[in-house]
Amino acid sequence: MSKNRNIGKKSASKLKSRRKNIPSTEQLMEGILKGDQSMLARAITLVESTNPEHQEKAYDIIEQCLSHKNDTLRIGITGVPGVGKSTFIESFGSMLTDMGKKVAVLAVDPTSTLSKGSILGDKTRMPHLVNDPQAFIRPSPSGESLGGVARKTRESIILCEAAGYDVILVETVGVGQSETAVHSMVDFFLLLKLSGAGDELQGIKRGIMEMADAIVINKAEGKNIKQAERARSEFERALHLYPPKESKWSPKVVCCSSLNGSGIPEIWKMVNAYAIQSKASGFFKNNRQNQNTYWFYQTVESLLQRQFYNEPSVKKAMLPLQKDVEELRISPFRAAEQLLAAYSKGLK
Amino acid sequence: MSKNRNIGKKSASKLKSRRKNIPSTEQLMEGILKGDQSMLARAITLVESTNPEHQEKAYDIIEQCLSHKNDTLRIGITGVPGVGKSTFIESFGSMLTDMGKKVAVLAVDPTSTLSKGSILGDKTRMPHLVNDPQAFIRPSPSGESLGGVARKTRESIILCEAAGYDVILVETVGVGQSETAVHSMVDFFLLLKLSGAGDELQGIKRGIMEMADAIVINKAEGKNIKQAERARSEFERALHLYPPKESKWSPKVVCCSSLNGSGIPEIWKMVNAYAIQSKASGFFKNNRQNQNTYWFYQTVESLLQRQFYNEPSVKKAMLPLQKDVEELRISPFRAAEQLLAAYSKGLK
């Protein structure tokens, strides 16, 4: 207590309540390693926080979690809104927990602030899984840049794995750039599609097709089955047009019904076949290493930019230069050089 | 000559030959302003050069060209390989030169090193335009990052405009990220499509549809006409699904035949209607200013990164940190922090 002698009553009580609210790093680590869901959730809240103190703590925890290597599988799941991602995850995830697996569901959804309809925001979309003690579901953080949301999801994966989750499902919407971010944090990338009318207009991007390790045609049930089968052979033909993947895995196209469960066990078998093949070839490990490197450089560049734009000399020179650029008094390149010069001068 | 007293014979002759090969900034500027195509071409070569001396000279020229404002139109043209971009440009461009316009054709094609089939690389694809004194065709530079290629194309536009070219056509392939780059350097963005089978598989991205100010269905000739008309109404319906554009322009869908010229004059009328509308609303000018700002920040960030990665302290720390990240000895975030710290220390 003697150390706190100079702290006013108010600050002291604030500090106390903060201490009360946030467990220590040790407590959090202990909880995570025991698989305590509420401790895991609180640690992820620290990861998502923008408070520098919380971030510092979060990085201590992430650092400690890194060394707890588990034999995990990270599966990315994408598809346009309405394709049935939640019901698929509900069905696929419940099957896995029935098999004794521990399943974590995370989301990357930078669109949530725009559409107000955050994926995973409404946990009731997965009524069974949400009450399953073997499953951990984390709604998507919102209101930040894609880079920020994605980085935090990636860090949450590390925490979930240290907490003993075997299978990590990362959900994202198949529009925009979020799939690329998810693709660079998972082992297996699964694209959900619907058969039939209107799907072309939902316009999944060519790039996503190329990323997919499997295309799953959902809602293949009742009178949809025939149409789904037709879509399956169409997609198979389309996939043949792409060059072979670095993993040497040939992407599969399968039909399933999240409603009646048909095709769901086959998808798990397929993911396992992929894991066996890519581990044997060394691709699995290699890919994770490359992903780590990718996130390292992504983080370097975002920190570098933040540092640059926060430098007072840059802040001061930036808008006048932008004005000059807009009005053609200077070329963008010369203006950029001058801003860099202001930065260097400011650092000295 | 007395200044050169200390320069050896070899250097002196090298200097002399360089002087002979590259005209002075004044000569180049004079040539450009007179509309001398060979001087313009040589100036663009300086823009594309990676030699720092050439770059310095190039920026002096660009800076001087900026102030020569002309009433120009920059039109981006994209479409997958095979859609007939060259024949369209040949037909559209020749019509414009017949009308007394001066037309420059540039290209952004970062795929050229991969596919070896550089767009515009083969000038014989536009046999008429290439011999037209009113037209200037510049093959795409290759072997660099998209950012680099795009920036240089954008700078070449400035030079072409100072040389009196009224209409600048910027061609790009509709795969990858190059359309976004082109979209951010043109006034009007035109997407070429084919009607009929196989086109869906050519998979134009949703994002490109959203960027397009017009979709032009090419090869609408002979027995293709009916199919092209059908495609036209389909695309029109599809475009209705998109939110209105900031420019308030409703994108048009038109058919044309680059072969027999039908529909080509209507496309020029449409582009003019767009220019009139967007100039009246102020969007035209505003958009160009935003584009300048965009290129300013793009350049700032690429210079900042170059400076960072060239800093000796960063070079030294980078690979060991990357190794630590790959092997999970450190989190990407902590490693990034350390690399930034090395940078700051190195600058002091």
Side-chain angles (χ1 to χ4, degrees):
Chain A
M1 271 317 259
S2 63
K3 270 186 183 165
N4 287 340
R5 199 176 292 160
N6 294 324
I7 299 175
K9 262 189 188 171
K10 212 171 161 189
S11 316
S13 92
K14 211 168 148 193
L15 197 68
K16 237 178 167 175
S17 89
R18 194 182 287 157
R19 275 190 187 145
K20 208 170 64 186
N21 281 332
I22 303 179
S24 69
T25 308
E26 292 69 34
Q27 286 170 320
L28 284 165
M29 269 315 295
E30 205 191 310
I32 290 171
L33 295 180
K34 274 198 316 202
D36 179 332
Q37 288 205 354
S38 91
M39 285 300 201
L40 174 60
R42 295 178 86 168
I44 292 180
T45 303
L46 289 180
V47 166
E48 288 169 2
S49 167
T50 52
N51 176 327
E53 233 178 276
H54 295 175
Q55 285 180 342
E56 201 45 44
K57 208 164 178 174
Y59 280 106
D60 281 344
I61 294 169
I62 293 167
E63 207 79 2
Q64 290 184 49
C65 286
L66 275 179
S67 54
H68 292 271
K69 291 173 204 169
N70 295 310
D71 189 19
T72 64
L73 265 176
R74 304 168 185 168
I75 305 173
I77 296 167
T78 192
V80 295
V83 79
K85 287 189 293 295
S86 329
T87 45
F88 175 77
I89 291 173
E90 168 91 343
S91 173
F92 188 63
S94 301
M95 178 194 66
L96 293 174
T97 58
D98 284 350
M99 292 165 62
K101 300 275 175 200
K102 286 183 71 184
V103 177
V105 184
L106 306 169
V108 173
D109 180 15
T111 66
S112 58
T113 40
L114 268 131
S115 63
K116 306 271 175 204
S118 169
I119 51 174
L120 287 180
D122 181 7
K123 284 192 182 190
T124 56
R125 297 186 314 143
M126 303 174 190
H128 183 253
L129 215 52
V130 83
N131 290 313
D132 187 333
Q134 293 286 103
F136 176 76
I137 299 182
R138 179 74 183 191
S140 173
S142 65
E144 229 195 295
S145 69
L146 169 61
V149 171
R151 182 161 56 73
K152 284 160 195 303
T153 305
R154 193 184 138 59
E155 289 161 359
S156 302
I157 293 178
I158 309 293
L159 266 51
C160 292
E161 291 180 339
Y165 290 88
D166 314 290
V167 182
I168 318 292
L169 305 179
V170 186
E171 179 183 359
T172 191
V173 281
V175 289
Q177 304 290 310
S178 61
E179 324 77 35
T180 312
V182 170
H183 184 250
S184 56
M185 62 177 82
V186 298
D187 305 311
F188 193 90
F189 196 66
L190 200 150
L191 167 61
L192 280 188
K193 292 283 281 181
L194 288 180
S195 62
D199 200 34
E200 194 206 337
L201 284 187
Q202 290 173 351
I204 208 85
K205 296 189 306 181
R206 182 189 171 108
I208 302 187
M209 286 273 281
E210 286 182 348
M211 281 191 261
D213 294 302
I215 295 177
V216 172
I217 300 166
N218 197 12
K219 304 193 185 174
E221 60 231 351
K223 53 182 181 178
N224 275 336
I225 291 184
K226 238 179 164 170
Q227 216 174 11
E229 274 302 323
R230 222 173 12 241
R232 196 179 62 77
S233 46
E234 252 176 60
F235 278 118
E236 265 178 358
R237 270 202 307 278
L239 284 178
H240 279 303
L241 299 175
Y242 295 117
K245 290 177 99 78
E246 206 196 324
S247 61
K248 305 267 189 290
W249 171 258
S250 4
K252 306 285 181 284
V253 188
V254 295
C255 293
C256 83
S257 165
S258 304
L259 209 66
N260 65 30
S262 76
I264 301 286
E266 286 74 14
I267 294 172
W268 177 239
K269 269 184 208 148
M270 172 182 66
V271 176
N272 265 316
Y274 171 83
I276 290 167
Q277 178 187 318
S278 63
K279 280 176 183 173
S281 72
F283 179 83
F284 190 93
K285 192 185 165 201
N286 206 17
N287 186 45
R288 283 204 175 177
Q289 287 185 343
N290 288 340
Q291 290 178 339
N292 287 338
T293 306
Y294 171 83
W295 286 95
F296 170 45
Y297 287 109
Q298 286 285 105
T299 311
V300 164
E301 279 149 31
S302 81
L303 287 180
L304 180 64
Q305 281 184 26
R306 198 201 293 170
Q307 180 177 306
F308 178 82
Y309 289 115
N310 280 335
E311 172 65 32
S313 57
V314 170
K315 279 185 173 169
K316 199 179 146 199
M318 198 167 73
L319 289 182
L321 277 172
Q322 185 183 317
K323 194 96 197 131
D324 285 348
V325 165
E326 278 172 9
E327 314 207 323
L328 298 176
R329 285 192 291 270
I330 188 172
S331 75
F333 191 86
R334 282 275 189 254
E337 277 186 335
Q338 289 186 19
L339 198 58
L340 265 289
Y343 177 60
S344 299
K345 221 173 152 187
L347 287 184
K348 267 163 203 162
Chain B
M1 274 313 265
S2 63
K3 271 187 184 167
N4 287 341
R5 200 176 292 162
N6 294 325
I7 299 174
K9 261 187 185 171
K10 215 170 157 187
S11 317
S13 91
K14 214 169 145 190
L15 197 69
K16 237 175 164 176
S17 89
R18 192 183 288 157
R19 276 188 184 145
K20 206 169 67 187
N21 282 332
I22 303 180
S24 69
T25 308
E26 292 69 34
Q27 287 171 319
L28 284 165
M29 270 314 296
E30 205 192 309
I32 290 171
L33 295 180
K34 273 197 317 200
D36 179 331
Q37 288 206 353
S38 92
M39 284 301 200
L40 174 60
R42 294 178 86 168
I44 292 180
T45 303
L46 289 180
V47 166
E48 289 168 0
S49 168
T50 52
N51 175 328
E53 234 178 276
H54 295 175
Q55 286 180 342
E56 201 44 45
K57 207 163 178 174
Y59 280 106
D60 281 342
I61 294 169
I62 293 167
E63 207 78 1
Q64 292 184 47
C65 287
L66 275 179
S67 54
H68 292 272
K69 291 174 204 170
N70 294 309
D71 188 19
T72 64
L73 265 176
R74 304 167 185 170
I75 304 173
I77 296 167
T78 192
V80 295
V83 78
K85 288 189 292 296
S86 330
T87 45
F88 174 78
I89 291 172
E90 168 90 345
S91 173
F92 189 63
S94 300
M95 178 195 66
L96 293 174
T97 57
D98 284 350
M99 291 164 64
K101 301 273 175 200
K102 285 183 74 184
V103 177
V105 184
L106 305 169
V108 173
D109 180 15
T111 65
S112 58
T113 41
L114 267 131
S115 63
K116 305 273 176 201
S118 170
I119 51 175
L120 287 182
D122 181 8
K123 285 193 182 187
T124 57
R125 297 187 312 145
M126 302 174 189
H128 182 253
L129 215 51
V130 83
N131 291 314
D132 186 334
Q134 292 286 103
F136 176 76
I137 299 182
R138 179 73 182 191
S140 173
S142 64
E144 230 194 296
S145 69
L146 169 60
V149 171
R151 182 161 57 73
K152 284 161 194 302
T153 303
R154 193 181 178 306
E155 289 160 0
S156 302
I157 293 177
I158 309 293
L159 265 51
C160 291
E161 291 180 339
Y165 290 89
D166 314 289
V167 183
I168 318 292
L169 305 178
V170 186
E171 179 183 359
T172 190
V173 281
V175 289
Q177 304 292 311
S178 59
E179 322 78 34
T180 312
V182 170
H183 184 251
S184 56
M185 63 178 82
V186 298
D187 306 310
F188 192 90
F189 195 67
L190 200 150
L191 168 61
L192 281 187
K193 292 282 283 180
L194 287 180
S195 62
D199 200 33
E200 194 206 338
L201 284 187
Q202 290 173 352
I204 210 85
K205 297 190 305 181
R206 181 188 173 111
I208 302 186
M209 287 271 282
E210 286 182 349
M211 281 190 262
D213 294 302
I215 296 177
V216 172
I217 301 168
N218 197 14
K219 303 193 187 175
E221 59 230 353
K223 52 183 183 177
N224 275 335
I225 291 183
K226 240 179 166 170
Q227 217 174 12
E229 274 303 323
R230 224 176 7 244
R232 195 179 62 79
S233 45
E234 252 176 62
F235 278 118
E236 265 178 358
R237 270 200 309 277
L239 283 178
H240 279 301
L241 299 175
Y242 294 115
K245 291 178 99 80
E246 206 196 323
S247 61
K248 305 265 191 287
W249 172 257
S250 3
K252 307 283 181 285
V253 188
V254 295
C255 293
C256 83
S257 165
S258 305
L259 209 65
N260 66 30
S262 75
I264 300 287
E266 286 74 14
I267 294 171
W268 176 239
K269 270 184 209 147
M270 173 181 64
V271 176
N272 265 316
Y274 171 84
I276 289 166
Q277 178 188 318
S278 63
K279 279 176 184 173
S281 72
F283 179 84
F284 191 93
K285 192 185 167 203
N286 206 17
N287 186 45
R288 282 204 177 179
Q289 285 185 343
N290 288 340
Q291 290 178 340
N292 286 339
T293 306
Y294 171 83
W295 286 96
F296 171 43
Y297 289 109
Q298 285 285 103
T299 311
V300 165
E301 279 149 32
S302 83
L303 286 181
L304 180 64
Q305 281 184 26
R306 198 202 293 169
Q307 181 176 306
F308 179 82
Y309 289 116
N310 280 335
E311 172 65 33
S313 57
V314 170
K315 278 187 174 167
K316 201 180 146 200
M318 196 167 75
L319 288 182
L321 277 171
Q322 185 183 319
K323 195 94 195 135
D324 285 346
V325 165
E326 277 172 10
E327 315 208 323
L328 299 175
R329 284 191 292 270
I330 188 170
S331 75
F333 191 85
R334 282 274 189 257
E337 278 186 334
Q338 289 186 21
L339 198 58
L340 265 289
Y343 178 61
S344 300
K345 220 173 151 188
L347 287 184
K348 269 161 198 163

